[in-house]
Short mmCIF file of all heavy atoms in Angstrom, two decimals:
data_model
loop_
_atom_site.label_atom_id
_atom_site.label_comp_id
_atom_site.label_asym_id
_atom_site.label_seq_id
_atom_site.Cartn_x
_atom_site.Cartn_y
_atom_site.Cartn_z
N GLY A 161 45.07 -28.92 37.24
CA GLY A 161 45.30 -29.23 35.82
C GLY A 161 44.41 -30.39 35.42
O GLY A 161 44.30 -31.37 36.14
N MET A 162 43.76 -30.25 34.27
CA MET A 162 42.78 -31.27 33.89
C MET A 162 43.04 -31.79 32.48
O MET A 162 43.22 -31.01 31.54
CB MET A 162 41.38 -30.65 33.97
CG MET A 162 40.26 -31.63 33.78
SD MET A 162 39.60 -31.47 32.12
CE MET A 162 38.40 -32.79 32.11
N LYS A 163 43.08 -33.11 32.37
CA LYS A 163 43.23 -33.76 31.06
C LYS A 163 41.88 -34.38 30.70
O LYS A 163 41.39 -35.26 31.39
CB LYS A 163 44.29 -34.86 31.17
CG LYS A 163 44.53 -35.58 29.87
CD LYS A 163 44.34 -37.08 30.04
CE LYS A 163 44.24 -37.76 28.71
NZ LYS A 163 42.95 -38.36 28.44
N PRO A 164 41.27 -33.88 29.62
CA PRO A 164 39.96 -34.39 29.20
C PRO A 164 40.03 -35.80 28.61
O PRO A 164 41.10 -36.27 28.24
CB PRO A 164 39.52 -33.39 28.13
CG PRO A 164 40.41 -32.19 28.31
CD PRO A 164 41.70 -32.72 28.83
N THR A 165 38.87 -36.45 28.53
CA THR A 165 38.76 -37.72 27.81
C THR A 165 39.30 -37.52 26.39
O THR A 165 39.04 -36.49 25.77
CB THR A 165 37.28 -38.15 27.67
OG1 THR A 165 36.68 -38.16 28.95
CG2 THR A 165 37.16 -39.52 27.01
N TYR A 166 40.03 -38.53 25.88
CA TYR A 166 40.53 -38.43 24.51
C TYR A 166 39.37 -38.18 23.56
O TYR A 166 38.38 -38.91 23.57
CB TYR A 166 41.27 -39.72 24.11
CG TYR A 166 41.88 -39.59 22.74
CD1 TYR A 166 43.04 -38.86 22.56
CD2 TYR A 166 41.26 -40.14 21.62
CE1 TYR A 166 43.60 -38.69 21.30
CE2 TYR A 166 41.81 -39.98 20.36
CZ TYR A 166 42.98 -39.25 20.20
OH TYR A 166 43.51 -39.08 18.96
N GLY A 167 39.46 -37.13 22.76
CA GLY A 167 38.41 -36.83 21.80
C GLY A 167 37.46 -35.72 22.22
O GLY A 167 36.68 -35.23 21.43
N ARG A 168 37.53 -35.34 23.49
CA ARG A 168 36.63 -34.27 23.98
C ARG A 168 37.04 -32.89 23.44
O ARG A 168 36.18 -32.04 23.21
CB ARG A 168 36.71 -34.20 25.51
CG ARG A 168 35.82 -35.17 26.21
CD ARG A 168 34.38 -34.73 26.13
NE ARG A 168 33.58 -35.41 27.13
CZ ARG A 168 32.27 -35.25 27.25
NH1 ARG A 168 31.61 -34.43 26.45
NH2 ARG A 168 31.61 -35.90 28.18
N VAL A 169 38.35 -32.68 23.33
CA VAL A 169 38.85 -31.37 22.91
C VAL A 169 39.56 -31.53 21.57
O VAL A 169 40.39 -32.43 21.40
CB VAL A 169 39.81 -30.79 23.96
CG1 VAL A 169 40.41 -29.47 23.49
CG2 VAL A 169 39.11 -30.60 25.30
N SER A 170 39.24 -30.67 20.64
CA SER A 170 39.83 -30.76 19.31
C SER A 170 41.35 -30.61 19.37
O SER A 170 41.87 -29.75 20.06
CB SER A 170 39.26 -29.67 18.41
OG SER A 170 39.99 -29.62 17.20
N ARG A 171 42.04 -31.43 18.60
CA ARG A 171 43.50 -31.31 18.49
C ARG A 171 43.90 -30.51 17.25
O ARG A 171 45.09 -30.39 16.96
CB ARG A 171 44.14 -32.70 18.44
CG ARG A 171 44.00 -33.48 19.74
CD ARG A 171 44.71 -34.83 19.69
NE ARG A 171 44.11 -35.72 18.72
CZ ARG A 171 44.67 -36.09 17.57
NH1 ARG A 171 45.86 -35.65 17.23
NH2 ARG A 171 44.05 -36.90 16.75
N TYR A 172 42.92 -29.96 16.53
CA TYR A 172 43.23 -29.19 15.33
C TYR A 172 44.04 -27.95 15.73
O TYR A 172 43.60 -27.14 16.54
CB TYR A 172 41.94 -28.78 14.63
CG TYR A 172 42.15 -28.03 13.34
CD1 TYR A 172 42.60 -28.68 12.19
CD2 TYR A 172 41.90 -26.67 13.27
CE1 TYR A 172 42.79 -27.98 11.01
CE2 TYR A 172 42.09 -25.97 12.09
CZ TYR A 172 42.53 -26.63 10.96
OH TYR A 172 42.72 -25.94 9.79
N GLY A 173 45.26 -27.86 15.20
CA GLY A 173 46.12 -26.72 15.55
C GLY A 173 47.02 -26.96 16.74
O GLY A 173 47.72 -26.07 17.18
N LEU A 174 47.01 -28.18 17.24
CA LEU A 174 47.96 -28.57 18.30
C LEU A 174 49.14 -29.27 17.64
O LEU A 174 48.94 -30.18 16.83
CB LEU A 174 47.29 -29.52 19.30
CG LEU A 174 48.23 -30.23 20.30
CD1 LEU A 174 48.79 -29.24 21.32
CD2 LEU A 174 47.50 -31.36 21.04
N GLY A 175 50.35 -28.87 17.96
CA GLY A 175 51.52 -29.55 17.44
C GLY A 175 51.51 -30.99 17.93
O GLY A 175 51.53 -31.24 19.14
N ALA A 176 51.43 -31.94 17.00
CA ALA A 176 51.23 -33.34 17.39
C ALA A 176 52.50 -33.95 17.98
O ALA A 176 53.59 -33.81 17.43
CB ALA A 176 50.80 -34.14 16.17
N TYR A 177 52.34 -34.60 19.12
CA TYR A 177 53.42 -35.40 19.70
C TYR A 177 53.04 -36.86 19.46
O TYR A 177 53.57 -37.51 18.55
CB TYR A 177 53.57 -35.02 21.18
CG TYR A 177 54.39 -35.94 22.05
CD1 TYR A 177 55.15 -36.98 21.53
CD2 TYR A 177 54.40 -35.76 23.43
CE1 TYR A 177 55.90 -37.81 22.35
CE2 TYR A 177 55.15 -36.59 24.26
CZ TYR A 177 55.88 -37.62 23.72
OH TYR A 177 56.60 -38.45 24.55
N ALA A 178 52.09 -37.40 20.22
CA ALA A 178 51.60 -38.76 19.99
C ALA A 178 50.09 -38.65 19.82
O ALA A 178 49.35 -38.51 20.80
CB ALA A 178 51.96 -39.66 21.15
N SER A 179 49.65 -38.74 18.57
CA SER A 179 48.27 -38.35 18.24
C SER A 179 47.20 -39.17 18.95
O SER A 179 46.09 -38.69 19.14
CB SER A 179 48.07 -38.45 16.73
OG SER A 179 49.10 -37.74 16.08
N SER A 180 47.49 -40.40 19.34
CA SER A 180 46.46 -41.20 20.00
C SER A 180 46.41 -40.94 21.50
O SER A 180 45.59 -41.52 22.21
CB SER A 180 46.68 -42.69 19.73
OG SER A 180 47.72 -43.20 20.54
N LEU A 181 47.29 -40.06 21.98
CA LEU A 181 47.36 -39.78 23.42
C LEU A 181 47.12 -38.31 23.76
O LEU A 181 46.68 -37.99 24.87
CB LEU A 181 48.74 -40.19 23.97
CG LEU A 181 49.18 -41.63 23.75
CD1 LEU A 181 50.68 -41.79 24.02
CD2 LEU A 181 48.42 -42.59 24.64
N ASP A 182 47.47 -37.41 22.84
CA ASP A 182 47.44 -35.96 23.12
C ASP A 182 46.03 -35.43 23.41
O ASP A 182 45.10 -35.74 22.67
CB ASP A 182 47.93 -35.16 21.90
CG ASP A 182 49.34 -35.49 21.42
OD1 ASP A 182 50.14 -36.00 22.21
OD2 ASP A 182 49.64 -35.19 20.24
#
Side-chain angles (χ1 to χ4, degrees):
M162 188 258 176
K163 181 236 166 245
T165 306
Y166 184 76
R168 276 286 198 182
V169 176
S170 170
R171 292 183 295 109
Y172 183 73
L174 168 70
Y177 166 10
S179 309
S180 77
L181 304 166
D182 301 337

